Amino acid sequence: MVLDCDPGHDDAMALLLAVADPGVELLGVTTVAGNQTVEKCTVNARRVLSLAGVSDVPVARGADRPLVRPLRIADDVHGETGLDGPLFDGDPEVPEAATTAAELMVDVLAKRHEPVTIVATGALTNIATLLADRPDLHANIEQIVWMGGSTERGNVTPYAEANCFVDPEAADQVLRSGVPFTMCGLNVTHQALVTDDVLAAFAGIGTPLARICVEWMTFFASTYRRLWGFTAPPLHDPVAVARVIDPAIVRCVDANVVIETAGEWTAGATVVDLHQYTGRPATARVAVELDTTAYWTKLVDAIARID
Ligand code: RIB
Ligand code: CA
């Protein structure tokens, strides 16, 4: 798996799941502007891998802005650093790769003898660029699994989810590419609520890393309470990783999905035809149900596996 992300508190937890679950071979981490600037997201990705003691997975910086729109960051949700909460001294040990995100993805896809899964937990800018630049590599991608969109309403506008809203043109291009695509949207990630019991399970691990995870999720809880009135915050991004680890954790259905890029009030909306109103063919697998017990067990086990 290659994980393309914009850490981000929930991206950080997705990274840790990908690092520690025995079912995942993490081949590279690429970053994209979204929750914060790509500079900050890249430092955060390096920070997470450093905290996990992972030094053999390259971290490469990707797009610093969406394909055509100005960047809109989510510092109201993730803070000034993009990963506010616990304070860290100095630069993370894990370095930034000398290659760009595009070069790293091309390298991984070209060299592997078997197709690679790309999990994306931010805007799809890097992936759209890759697919446009290298059509010869489409067949080397097993699937793209994205945390983004929604079968219902949005979280930054009434109809747009944040990762889609940041770069709707990129999401549109990726969906039109024909590469197998799974969308894990808000309708399913809002089932992944960090309740007090979940937080207690992480706290019970007792390692320094688990304590940091608890601090991250506590910060995330505070912004979700303030901005949206949630009593427990949804931990979105690990849902996409969990879908790859064990598809049974995230039940999906096939549906036609198109992206609204032109709507005056609805740009970034994912228009999901769950009921075949349009007669258009399915363009994606769409997540509809989360096995929350299995999900939290996977995540807690993963964090506990890291010393
Ligand atoms: O809407 C949720 C998504 O937006 C998550 O990926 C979160 O990290 C933010 O990027
Ligand atoms: Ca994210």
Side-chain angles (χ1 to χ4, degrees):
M1 167 191 306
V2 171
L3 182 51
D4 186 66
C5 57
D6 63 340
H9 296 76
D10 51 338
D11 301 81
M13 297 299 290
L15 267 168
L16 291 172
L17 178 59
V19 157
D21 189 277
V24 176
E25 185 184 2
L26 187 60
L27 302 169
V29 174
T30 52
T31 58
V32 65
N35 282 330
Q36 254 296 353
T37 63
V38 75
E39 287 79 11
K40 291 182 181 178
C41 292
T42 307
V43 170
N44 293 340
R46 293 169 48 218
R47 175 81 62 201
V48 173
L49 292 194
S50 301
L51 290 167
V54 174
S55 54
D56 57 351
V57 176
V59 179
R61 185 191 300 211
D64 66 356
R65 70 195 70 172
L67 294 181
V68 295
R69 294 173 193 254
L71 175 64
R72 173 204 177 275
I73 59 167
D75 52 350
D76 52 343
V77 183
H78 298 273
E80 184 55 38
T81 64
L83 200 49
D84 275 12
L87 298 175
F88 300 101
D89 288 331
D91 211 33
E93 284 161 34
V94 169
E96 184 176 331
T99 56
T100 64
E103 289 165 345
L104 175 60
M105 286 194 278
V106 166
D107 193 49
V108 168
L109 292 173
K111 283 191 182 147
R112 287 294 280 194
H113 297 298
E114 58 210 13
V116 173
T117 290
I118 298 176
V119 172
T121 60
L124 289 170
T125 320
N126 291 337
I127 317 293
T129 305
L130 170 77
L131 297 179
D133 290 350
R134 296 299 302 263
D136 57 308
L137 292 177
H138 288 197
N140 300 25
I141 302 171
E142 166 120 39
Q143 57 174 338
I144 296 164
V145 181
W146 182 46
M147 188 285 122
S150 176
T151 64
E152 297 162 5
R153 304 285 286 234
N155 61 357
V156 281
T157 72
Y159 284 97
E161 179 279 332
N163 290 339
C164 200
F165 185 72
V166 168
D167 200 343
E169 285 74 19
D172 179 47
Q173 289 185 22
V174 171
L175 263 162
R176 288 176 192 272
S177 73
V179 175
F181 186 81
T182 298
M183 178 185 117
C184 301
L186 297 178
N187 55 294
V188 80
T189 65
H190 280 186
Q191 299 168 34
L193 298 174
V194 186
T195 61
D196 289 345
D197 285 350
V198 167
L199 213 52
F202 283 104
I205 297 169
T207 59
L209 179 65
R211 279 192 283 280
I212 289 167
C213 291
V214 168
E215 286 187 61
W216 281 334
M217 286 185 279
T218 303
F219 179 89
F220 204 44
S222 72
T223 58
Y224 261 83
R225 196 177 310 117
R226 176 169 49 80
L227 295 172
W228 288 285
F230 276 56
T231 49
L235 201 66
H236 309 278
D237 290 340
V239 171
V241 178
R243 166 70 191 178
V244 178
I245 293 170
D246 180 358
I249 296 177
V250 186
R251 186 170 71 82
C252 292
V253 297
D254 290 342
N256 180 270
V257 180
V258 292
I259 309 295
E260 181 57 78
T261 55
E264 184 178 0
W265 309 111
T266 54
T270 41
V271 181
V272 183
D273 187 5
L274 283 178
H275 305 291
Q276 287 112 37
Y277 297 126
T278 63
R280 293 192 294 248
T283 52
R285 289 194 191 113
V286 177
V288 291
E289 189 181 3
L290 182 71
D291 179 341
T292 52
T293 305
Y295 176 70
W296 291 120
T297 301
K298 275 275 170 220
L299 262 167
V300 170
D301 286 355
I303 304 304
R305 229 176 255 121
I306 304 170
D307 294 333

